[in-house]
Amino acid sequence: MLRPKLPTMPQPTSLPVVIEPTTVTSGSQDIPALPTPAPARPVVQLTPGTAVALVGGGTAVVLVLGTVLVSLLLAVAITGASVAVCAVVLRSLLASDAKRR
C-alpha cells in the first residue's frame, strides 16, 4: 500500500538510426578567415534619464532599508524595556510576599 510505483521505461517506437562512418581526407584546403568575434559585453550608455533613475532607485533602497532597521531596533528596545518592567514588578511582589511571612 505504501510502496511507490516505479514508472516503466518507454520502448522506442522507431527503428534505430544507423550512423555510417565518414572518410577523413587530408590535404591542403583553403581555410576561410574567421570572423571577428562580437564584444562579450555590450557597452552601457548612461543617459541623464538613466542616471536620475539610478539615483532615485538607490535613494528608495536606502530609505526602505533604514526604515526597516530602525523599526527592528525600536522593537528590540521596547521588548527590553517591557522585560525590565516585568522584572521590577516581580521583584516587588516577591519582596512584599516575603515581608508578610
Side-chain angles (χ1 to χ4, degrees):
M1 181 172 137
L2 297 176
R3 297 181 60 139
K5 182 180 178 188
L6 299 175
T8 58
M9 289 289 292
Q11 298 297 324
T13 57
S14 64
L15 296 175
V17 177
V18 178
I19 300 174
E20 296 180 4
T22 58
T23 58
V24 177
T25 57
S26 62
S28 62
Q29 296 177 352
D30 292 335
I31 299 174
L34 296 175
T36 56
R41 291 178 51 184
V43 178
V44 177
Q45 298 289 334
L46 191 62
T47 62
T50 56
V52 169
L54 285 174
V55 168
T59 303
V61 166
V62 167
L63 288 176
V64 168
L65 218 62
T67 304
V68 168
L69 291 177
V70 167
S71 299
L72 287 173
L73 183 64
L74 186 61
V76 168
I78 291 173
T79 303
S82 64
V83 168
V85 168
C86 289
V88 168
V89 169
L90 283 174
R91 182 178 174 193
S92 173
L93 288 173
L94 290 175
S96 68
D97 190 35
K99 284 183 182 180
R100 276 192 258 167
R101 289 185 177 182

